[in-house]
Amino acid sequence: YQRRVHGALSAVSTLQVFRSKMEEMKLFMAMKRLPEAFQAEVLRYYSHLFRTTGTVSGWSNSVDPLHDLPFELKAKVNIAIGAEIIKKLPLFDDLKYNEGFVHELVSRLTMKSFVPGVTVVKSGKMAREMFFVLSGELTVHQSLGYLGADVLPSGSAFGYVSVVYDVPQYETVTARTYCNVLTLTAADFHDVAALFPQLRETLLAAAAARVDELRAGARTS
């Protein structure tokens, strides 16, 4: 009798954890603004997983609510999340409605995290990637003789001047707070630019404007 009661209570507890986890995933996907079709597909998968295994073991300990998704489905979700991020970056205002470009770019991005005080790029080093700030703040130092420091908030981009012109980094950038960034390697930039020439034009214009801005700062410092 006690075993049956214990089993029944365990089943109820597991069901409660499952429902709680589903609500957590719904909130996560809503905050990431995933398309409703993706949200429904993810929830169907987890419902199927629960029905066939009868457990939520391992779900609640993950930082990523979607960590148990199959590779193909998780890739689709990551592309959808990345697309929303890219569309919010001012640097891509002229390209954000080109779905082909967004999909191609997002598929090549990598997310990285940094703690306060860490040097992300160092002046004088050859550029290997460009960065797009998702959250947090970074500080720019040593820019073309300008001794001041600029703060890069969420939505900013850096490193693209060096990648576009294929020259060493002209500035040192350190994490001012905990921050998350997306990175695009120089090789991937050139591949995407070959498919979408407007990307090169956009970044060339942004790079020229940034260099002019820094030179103006150097003259007034």
Side-chain angles (χ1 to χ4, degrees), residues 57-80:
S57 177
W59 294 13
S60 59
N61 295 326
S62 175
V63 175
D64 178 5
L66 306 178
H67 82 292
D68 283 324
L69 288 177
F71 175 80
E72 295 80 4
L73 183 53
K74 189 167 186 177
K76 289 168 63 176
V77 171
N78 283 336
I79 287 175

Side-chain angles (χ1 to χ4, degrees), residues 123-176:
S123 177
K125 298 290 185 180
M126 285 304 297
R128 295 182 179 178
E129 54 194 348
M130 61 182 72
F131 301 81
F132 309 104
V133 185
L134 298 181
S135 62
E137 295 181 342
L138 301 99
T139 305
V140 181
H141 309 271
Q142 305 172 11
S143 302
L144 298 177
Y146 174 46
L147 301 180
D150 296 326
V151 174
L152 296 172
S154 174
S156 301
F158 63 95
Y160 56 88
V161 175
S162 301
V163 170
V164 169
Y165 289 130
D166 193 23
V167 296
Q169 297 284 355
Y170 62 93
E171 58 192 6
T172 294
V173 179
T174 60
R176 186 182 186 197

Side-chain angles (χ1 to χ4, degrees), residues 97-119:
Y97 296 114
N98 185 325
E99 295 299 329
F101 162 75
V102 172
H103 185 281
E104 187 67 32
L105 183 64
V106 168
S107 68
R108 296 170 183 265
L109 294 175
T110 300
M111 184 178 292
K112 295 183 179 180
S113 299
F114 299 98
V115 299
V118 168
T119 297

Side-chain angles (χ1 to χ4, degrees), residues 31 49 51 84 107-109 144 147 156 186 200 211 221:
M31 289 177 62
L49 192 63
R51 285 196 307 271
E84 288 300 320
S107 68
R108 296 170 183 265
L109 294 175
L144 298 177
L147 301 180
S156 301
R200 189 181 302 278
V211 170
S221 63

Side-chain angles (χ1 to χ4, degrees), residues 16-32:
Q16 289 174 336
V17 172
F18 167 71
R19 288 174 174 170
S20 175
K21 194 64 180 178
M22 292 291 275
E23 290 302 317
E24 177 185 337
M25 284 186 287
K26 288 178 183 178
L27 179 60
F28 173 82
M29 293 188 292
M31 289 177 62
K32 295 297 183 180

